[in-house]
Structures are given as structure tokens and as C-alpha cells.
């Protein structure tokens, strides 16, 4: 049985990484998008002209909309991110469905690369407490060594099994079953400011948050990078989000 060149070629040895990456690939997003959308209710077709008026008035309007949870004006914008993270992060991520669009690389159509997640030394490893009151604390050097070693050994064995099946002609969609959720994947994720605020309210911890959140650290790492990109695009909206407890309107 013949195989594609990618499946027949010798793959690179497994690589291990702790960081996730988020790239803002395109956007149509600015504070002005919130303002004209909100002012159409009173200014009609003249709402676009309102953008050039008093900046302080514009800042106050955005804060009013955020404070009183008039959410729809925050939907008239778009941001597309290219994200590289472990599969287990994406499975949490895709629970966010309203206002989001996703396209992820497919193990049915391409051979998956051997890049796997291992926790960094500052990743808290030990879970304490009971459901609803979990706390994570720093693990010992021995615990971190154990986690890293066993993960890497498991990843190597799993990817070797995957390669063996591909070499024998087993379909990619079947062979991928042996790969763990620590495998890195990549996807495009498109959202608007309102849907991103909801995501950040749940998936990041922040001192200004009115409602506490307890995200898994790895998805929080993604959220922090998305937040940094968004803060530059819509600074007035971002400031109002923080000032009003980081609750999506």
C-alpha cells in the first residue's frame, strides 16, 4: 500500500514545550465600533458623525454601556487569533460557543507533528481542598521531575505507536486515537469584544474581577495573551471592562 510523502518520511523526534502562543492575525475592532452602534438608537444615520465629538463623552458612554450591561454595541467588531496550545486547552476553549467561530487543524487530513506539552517549573502541581474550594500550590522539585519524565516517556511511546500504524497503512483518523491530549494543536478563533469579555471573565484571574474565577492555568495563559492584544485595539472598552468588575455586558 502506498503512503503520502509526509507519512513515509522520517518524522522529527518529539519536542516538548511549556508555552502557548497567540497571534492576532486580523481584526476590525476599535472603540469607535461600540460608539456608532450605541448612538444609532438616538442619532440614526448621523451616529457615525458622533465619533468625532468629545472624547470624554465617548469614554463615558462606553462606561455607561458596560456598567448597565447594554451588551449588543460591543458585538460590532471582529478579531481573529491563531492559537497554538495543547488539545486539552482547545477542548475547554470550545465550550465557549456564543460569538465564537473555530477552525482547528485536523488529524484526519494531515500527519500530526510530535510537539507535546510539559509544565514549566513555575506551574503549580499540587491540588488541595474540596470541589468548589480547590487550591493549587507549588509542587516539589521531585514532583516536577516525575511529571516531566513520565509525560515525556508517555508521549514518546504514543507517538511511536502512531508512526507505526501510519507506516503500516492505517488511516490517519484511526491512528490518531493513541495520541494524548497533551499534543499541541493549532486553530483560528474569531470573536467579538463581548464574547471575548465573557471568555476572559471565566478563564482568567484578576484582582479587579467582581466574580472570582478558577481557570486551569494553561487556558488562562491563552486568555492573557488574547487580552493583551485586545487591550491595544479597544483601550476605552478594555478600561471600562476592568473598572466594572470584568463582567461581560
Amino acid at each position: 500500500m502506498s503512503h503520502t510523502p509526509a507519512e513515509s518520511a522520517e518524522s522529527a523526534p518529539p519536542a516538548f514545550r511549556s508555552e502557548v502562543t497567540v497571534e492576532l492575525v486580523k481584526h476590525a475592532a476599535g472603540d469607535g465600533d461600540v460608539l456608532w452602534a450605541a448612538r444609532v438608537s438616538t442619532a440614526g444615520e448621523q451616529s457615525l458623525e458622533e465619533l468625532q465629538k468629545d472624547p470624554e463623552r465617548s469614554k463615558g458612554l462606553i462606561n455607561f454601556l458596560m456598567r448597565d450591561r447594554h451588551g449588543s454595541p460591543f458585538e460590532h467588531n471582529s478579531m481573529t487569533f491563531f492559537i497554538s496550545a495543547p488539545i486539552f486547552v482547545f477542548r475547554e476553549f470550545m465550550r465557549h460557543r456564543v460569538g465564537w467561530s473555530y477552525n482547528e487543524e485536523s488529524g484526519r487530513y494531515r500527519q500530526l507533528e510530535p510537539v507535546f506539552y510539559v509544565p514549566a517549573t513555575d506551574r503549580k502541581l499540587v491540588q488541595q481542598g474540596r470541589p468548589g474550594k480547590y487550591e493549587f500550590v507549588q509542587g516539589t522539585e521531585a514532583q516536577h521531575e516525575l511529571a516531566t519524565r513520565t509525560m515525556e516517556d508517555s508521549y514518546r511511546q504514543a507517538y511511536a505507536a502512531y508512526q507505526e500504524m501510519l507506516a503500516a497503512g492505517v488511516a490517519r483518523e484511526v491512528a490518531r486515537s493513541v495520541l494524548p491530549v497533551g499534543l499541541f494543536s493549532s486553530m483560528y478563533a474569531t470573536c467579538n469584544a463581548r464574547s471575548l469579555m465573557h471568555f476572559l471573565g471565566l478563564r482568567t484571574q484578576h484582582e479587579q474581577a467582581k466574580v472570582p474565577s478558577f481557570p486551569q492555568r494553561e487556558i488562562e495563559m491563552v486568555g492573557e495573551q488574547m487580552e493583551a492584544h485586545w487591550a491595544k485595539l479597544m483601550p476605552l472598552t478594555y478600561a471600562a471592562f476592568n473598572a466594572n468588575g470584568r463582567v461581560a455586558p
Side-chain angles (χ1 to χ4, degrees):
M1 180 179 293
S2 62
H3 309 301
T4 66
E7 292 168 350
S8 300
E10 188 73 19
S11 293
F16 310 108
R17 53 184 280 201
S18 303
E19 73 281 358
V20 300
T21 58
V22 177
E23 178 186 357
L24 178 66
V25 295
K26 67 175 184 175
H27 65 86
D31 291 317
D33 299 321
V34 180
L35 297 170
W36 60 251
R39 286 174 174 154
V40 73
S41 61
T42 57
E45 67 274 14
Q46 276 75 49
S47 63
L48 286 174
E49 299 173 11
E50 294 286 319
L51 295 180
Q52 310 306 320
K53 296 188 177 179
D54 183 7
E56 282 302 312
R57 181 165 167 259
S58 296
K59 179 180 178 181
L61 175 57
I62 288 177
N63 190 70
F64 161 74
L65 296 170
M66 191 77 68
R67 184 194 68 210
D68 287 13
R69 307 194 70 184
H70 296 291
S72 58
F74 298 99
E75 297 175 3
H76 294 271
N77 55 83
S78 177
M79 294 165 279
T80 298
F81 300 94
F82 183 73
I83 303 168
S84 179
I87 287 175
F88 67 80
V89 169
F90 289 170
R91 296 306 162 263
E92 283 196 333
F93 206 123
M94 291 175 182
R95 294 180 64 84
H96 297 267
R97 298 182 293 276
V98 178
W100 288 89
S101 297
Y102 304 107
N103 280 96
E104 184 183 355
E105 68 175 291
S106 173
R108 296 186 68 193
Y109 303 121
R110 62 168 299 185
Q111 180 172 335
L112 298 170
E113 296 299 316
V115 181
F116 299 94
Y117 172 78
V118 293
T121 54
D122 61 352
R123 206 295 187 194
K124 295 178 180 179
L125 292 182
V126 179
Q127 179 178 315
Q128 298 176 340
R130 57 183 176 81
K133 288 188 176 291
Y134 286 133
E135 178 188 14
F136 286 84
V137 298
Q138 198 71 38
T140 65
E141 184 176 333
Q143 286 172 320
H144 189 271
E145 188 280 329
L146 173 65
T148 301
R149 173 170 48 81
T150 54
M151 283 183 180
E152 291 182 0
D153 289 347
S154 177
Y155 292 151
R156 290 189 183 95
Q157 293 174 17
Y159 200 76
Y162 174 67
Q163 287 182 299
E164 182 180 5
M165 284 191 281
L166 292 181
V170 175
R172 289 182 291 261
E173 65 183 49
V174 177
R176 66 177 174 171
S177 300
V178 300
L179 295 174
V181 294
L183 182 77
F184 268 74
S185 186
S186 59
M187 72 171 179
Y188 289 104
T190 298
C191 63
N192 58 58
R194 189 182 193 185
S195 54
L196 179 58
M197 284 186 278
H198 182 259
F199 176 89
L200 294 175
L202 292 173
R203 301 297 184 177
T204 61
Q205 291 184 318
H206 196 280
E207 61 183 9
Q208 291 179 271
K210 184 184 300 183
V211 180
S213 181
F214 305 95
Q216 183 163 341
R217 177 56 188 151
E218 288 74 16
I219 196 170
E220 185 178 36
M221 291 159 59
V222 172
E224 288 169 348
Q225 293 187 45
M226 296 174 76
E227 180 171 344
H229 286 297
W230 172 57
K232 295 175 183 178
L233 297 176
M234 304 179 72
L236 296 182
T237 303
Y238 180 65
F241 174 59
N242 284 319
N244 289 278
R246 294 175 66 88
V247 176

